[in-house]
């Protein structure tokens, strides 16, 4: 059930009539957990698997694609757990290469991200959020992670039907991703041990 819906800050917003819950915006790093979940599901990676965080040069139809990390540095071999927890970009692209863009697009659609183009529209940049998504779709997808891989429709009104749930991700892969996102040690490379993300209760960020 949707318990709160804040589309804008009203008069404080430059666009008070735009509902940003439904507006399409670039996904940024929010799709990375699903790319890793698929890699765990397909047994292409485990949380301890080493990924190469080094300069990457991928030829595409639009020229070479050279992803960089947020801090503009590279960290060498890093475990998948640290790569996801610290939101490193290059390992995420390498992970999507293993999973396949087609596989990722099919899974994201099943998780509720409805407005995706064909897989060849994105290429490797899908791992870093080149797709336009809505907050509503992201809530639906992350809800599936919290439910052990079971996806289903969100319910906005109390009298809305509950709809049918379906398994998109395995419970094991979903657990691993949630465990990584809740581990402040895994995210410390980028965010440090003490930050607003570190809570005194279990929370996956």
């Amino acid at each position: 059930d949707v318990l709160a819906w804040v589309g804008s800050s009203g008069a404080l917003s430059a666009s008070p009539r735009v509902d940003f819950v439904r507006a399409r915006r670039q996904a940024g790093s929010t799709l990375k957990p699903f790319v890793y979940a698929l890699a765990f599901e397909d047994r292409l990676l485990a949380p301890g698997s080493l990924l190469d965080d080094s300069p990457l040069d991928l030829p595409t139809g639009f020229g070479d694609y050279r992803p960089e990390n947020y801090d503009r540095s590279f960290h060498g071999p890093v475990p998948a757990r640290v790569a996801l927890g610290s939101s490193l970009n290059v390992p995420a692209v390498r992970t999507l290469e293993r999973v396949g863009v087609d596989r990722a697009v099919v899974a994201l659609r099943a998780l509720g991200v409805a407005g995706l183009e064909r897989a060849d529209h994105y290429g490797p940049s899908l791992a870093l959020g080149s797709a336009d998504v809505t907050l509503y779709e992201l809530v639906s997808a992350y809800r599936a992670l919290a439910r052990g891989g079971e996806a289903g429709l969100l319910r906005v009104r109390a009298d809305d039907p509950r709809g049918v749930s379906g398994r998109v991700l395995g419970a094991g892969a979903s657990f691993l991703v949630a465990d990584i996102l809740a581990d402040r040690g895994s995210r410390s490379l980028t965010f440090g041990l003490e930050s607003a993300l570190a809570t005194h209760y279990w929370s996956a960020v």
Side-chain angles (χ1 to χ4, degrees):
D1 291 351
V2 175
L3 304 183
W5 184 304
V6 182
S8 82
S9 56
L12 297 175
S13 171
S15 306
R17 296 186 183 278
V18 176
D19 181 357
F20 285 98
V21 174
R22 290 288 196 180
R24 296 207 166 274
R25 309 174 80 179
Q26 288 229 314
S29 292
T30 58
L31 301 183
K32 287 177 184 173
F34 305 104
V35 173
Y36 282 91
L38 291 171
F40 296 154
E41 176 88 359
D42 295 346
R43 299 180 181 271
L44 301 171
L45 291 176
S49 299
L50 290 180
L51 290 166
D52 184 15
D53 183 22
S54 63
L56 184 60
D57 203 335
L58 294 174
T60 71
F62 304 100
D64 289 347
Y65 179 57
R66 299 184 180 94
E68 292 184 336
N69 291 317
Y70 179 75
D71 61 4
R72 301 295 176 91
S73 63
F74 299 98
H75 305 279
V78 292
R81 171 176 284 275
V82 171
L84 173 56
S86 291
S87 195
L88 299 180
N89 287 339
V90 176
V93 171
R94 293 188 191 277
T95 300
L96 180 62
E97 280 191 300
R98 297 187 188 198
V99 169
V101 179
D102 290 304
R103 166 97 164 100
V105 166
V106 169
L108 288 168
R109 283 185 180 137
L111 288 164
V113 183
L116 293 174
E117 304 282 347
R118 294 195 325 255
D120 59 8
H121 179 78
Y122 302 110
S125 66
L126 179 66
L128 307 186
S130 60
D132 290 332
V133 303
T134 69
L135 177 58
Y136 186 89
E137 292 171 339
L138 281 177
V139 169
S140 181
Y142 273 86
R143 173 174 170 266
L145 272 182
R147 298 177 74 228
E150 290 272 348
L153 296 175
L154 298 176
R155 214 165 65 130
V156 178
R157 293 167 50 100
D159 57 356
D160 284 346
R162 291 206 175 271
V164 179
S165 294
R167 178 162 298 285
V168 178
L169 299 169
S174 300
F175 172 83
L176 290 174
V177 168
D179 184 66
I180 291 168
L181 297 181
D183 179 12
R184 68 176 187 165
S186 295
R187 73 172 78 103
S188 63
L189 186 65
T190 296
F191 303 103
L193 286 172
E194 298 299 334
S195 72
L197 306 180
T199 61
H200 295 294
Y201 46 86
W202 190 96
S203 57
V205 183

